[in-house]
Amino acid sequence: MKTVSTELESLLLTAPVVFLVEDVLTKEYLIRIWQPDDKYFYILVAYGRESVRAVTHDLRTAGFRNVFGLIDRDFGTCNYDSWIQVLSNEAVFILPVFEIENYLLDWDALSHSSTDFFQERNVDEVAERAFRFAEELLWRFSCCRTISTIRGHLVADFPSFPGLNIRSRRAVLEYIVNQKWFTEIESRVHSFIDKEKIRELIDNSIELTKGYLESGTWKAEFSGKEIFRMLRGYLVNKKYASSEEMDLDLAKKIGDYQHEQSTAPKELLALKRLILQEVMNL
C-alpha cells in the first residue's frame, strides 16, 4: 500500500536528509548556521512538536531512514546526552535548551544586528535589558512551570490511538478502561484538588526559577521566545511588518552573524555532522 504522495516520495528518495522542525523560524535559523552544508538538508515545517514526532515516526517506519526531526525541550526532558542512540531509533532530537529562540539570546549578534534597525545598542545594554526582561517574567514563568507539572501528572500514559483491530463498541470501551491512565486518573486528579499541594508546587517552581536567575542559567532555562520578542521590540522599536515576520528577520540576521563569526551553537553544529555521517552510511 502506498503510504506517501508521489511528490513526497520523490523528495524522500532524492534529498540526502529530510529534516522536520516545529516552525519557520527554526528552519530559517538552521539554514543559516548550517551553511554550506544546508544544501544537504530539505527542512520541512511540521507546525508543532507532536506533528514532528508523528511524521518522523511514520516516514521512518515506511522505510525512509533519511528522515529526522528536531523539537523544543520546553518543560520536558532533553535527549541531548543520547543523540547518537536517538539517531538510529526514534530520530527526533530534543534541544538541550528550552526552545530554539534561546540560541538567539546572543548579545554580540543582537548588538551587531541592532545597527540594521536604526536602534544601535551595545553588548552591555542588550545583556542588561535581557536580564531585566527575564526578571519580569519570574512569576509568569513559575506559573507556566506549575501548570506544566500538573498537566504532566494528569496526562502521563495518556492512551494513544489503537491499532486496526477495534471493531465493536465493547472493544472501544475495553481498550480505554484497561489503560493505566484510566485506572489512575481519579487518584491523580484528587491529589491536585488540595490547594496546599498547589501552593507547594508554586513554591518549588519559584525557588527553581529564582535559582536560574541567580546562577545565570536563565538563558537556557527560561522561555527564549518571550525574551527574544521583548528584545526585538527593544531593538527595532517600530512596526514595519507582523510580529512573526519581524522575529524571523532578526533570527535570520543572528544566524548569519553566528555563521560568519563561527559562534553558532556547538550542539547544533554537532547535530548537523552527526546526521550527515549517518546518512552517508545508509
Side-chain angles (χ1 to χ4, degrees):
M1 179 184 294
K2 196 173 183 63
T3 57
V4 298
S5 68
T6 301
E7 294 80 8
L8 180 56
E9 183 177 34
S10 176
L11 169 63
L12 292 165
L13 292 173
T14 57
V17 179
V18 174
F19 197 69
L20 288 107
V21 298
E22 294 189 49
D23 52 49
V24 175
L25 187 146
T26 303
K27 172 182 177 178
E28 295 297 334
Y29 176 62
L30 291 178
I31 286 173
R32 282 155 178 79
I33 65 169
W34 282 354
Q35 298 177 67
D37 295 327
D38 61 296
K39 62 189 175 186
Y40 300 115
F41 290 79
Y42 192 95
I43 303 179
L44 291 175
V45 178
Y47 296 102
R49 60 189 294 114
E50 293 310 315
S51 295
V52 171
R53 287 185 181 278
V55 175
T56 301
H57 173 270
D58 289 350
L59 291 178
R60 289 181 66 87
T61 300
F64 299 104
R65 308 298 288 180
N66 60 330
V67 177
F68 305 88
L70 178 71
I71 60 175
D72 295 336
R73 187 198 68 201
D74 298 327
F75 289 106
T77 303
C78 80
N79 57 10
Y80 175 62
D81 291 337
S82 58
W83 273 5
I84 293 178
Q85 290 73 38
V86 171
L87 192 67
S88 55
N89 292 297
E90 66 266 33
V92 175
F93 305 93
I94 305 174
L95 290 173
V97 296
F98 193 84
E99 53 197 345
I100 197 73
E101 286 86 354
N102 290 79
Y103 291 123
L104 304 179
L105 304 182
D106 180 331
W107 314 147
D108 290 314
L110 285 161
S111 174
H112 179 268
S113 300
S114 70
T115 59
D116 296 333
F117 296 108
F118 312 107
Q119 292 288 331
E120 186 171 356
R121 310 286 187 181
N122 64 43
V123 172
D124 290 339
E125 289 176 315
V126 174
E128 180 183 356
R129 183 56 66 101
F131 184 72
R132 283 163 53 188
F133 285 147
E135 287 183 311
E136 292 172 8
L137 289 172
L138 171 65
W139 287 101
R140 180 184 183 279
F141 194 65
S142 297
C143 182
C144 292
R145 180 177 293 280
T146 302
I147 291 172
S148 178
T149 299
I150 295 171
R151 181 172 55 208
H153 281 289
L154 294 181
V155 303
D157 305 310
F158 195 81
S160 57
F161 290 149
L164 301 177
N165 59 336
I166 301 293
R167 301 182 182 277
S168 68
R169 185 177 185 278
R170 180 177 179 180
V172 173
L173 178 62
E174 289 181 351
Y175 180 78
I176 294 174
V177 300
N178 289 331
Q179 298 290 327
K180 179 182 179 182
W181 172 83
F182 183 83
T183 62
E184 297 180 356
I185 187 60
E186 184 175 357
S187 61
R188 292 184 190 183
V189 171
H190 182 74
S191 67
F192 288 106
I193 293 176
D194 183 5
K195 287 186 178 179
E196 288 305 315
K197 176 63 175 179
I198 302 300
R199 290 191 180 98
E200 179 185 338
L201 291 175
I202 293 171
D203 290 343
N204 291 340
S205 180
I206 287 293
E207 183 179 357
L208 186 62
T209 307
K210 284 182 176 178
Y212 293 147
L213 286 171
E214 293 168 359
S215 67
T217 56
W218 61 272
K219 279 181 66 176
E221 301 300 336
F222 270 47
S223 170
K225 184 183 280 84
E226 301 295 338
I227 298 173
F228 173 69
R229 285 177 173 169
M230 289 176 169
L231 285 172
R232 190 261 300 155
Y234 169 64
L235 297 176
V236 178
N237 200 26
K238 66 176 182 178
K239 186 175 180 64
Y240 65 86
S242 69
S243 297
E244 292 75 16
E245 290 173 311
M246 291 191 290
D247 288 348
L248 191 57
D249 285 347
L250 184 53
K252 290 177 181 178
K253 291 180 183 295
I254 292 172
D256 285 334
Y257 178 86
Q258 290 177 340
H259 172 67
E260 293 163 3
Q261 300 297 316
S262 299
T263 57
K266 64 181 186 304
E267 52 265 46
L268 294 182
L269 297 181
L271 177 60
K272 176 193 70 173
R273 294 190 294 269
L274 197 65
I275 292 173
L276 288 178
Q277 183 177 4
E278 176 74 5
V279 296
M280 287 175 61
N281 296 326
L282 292 177

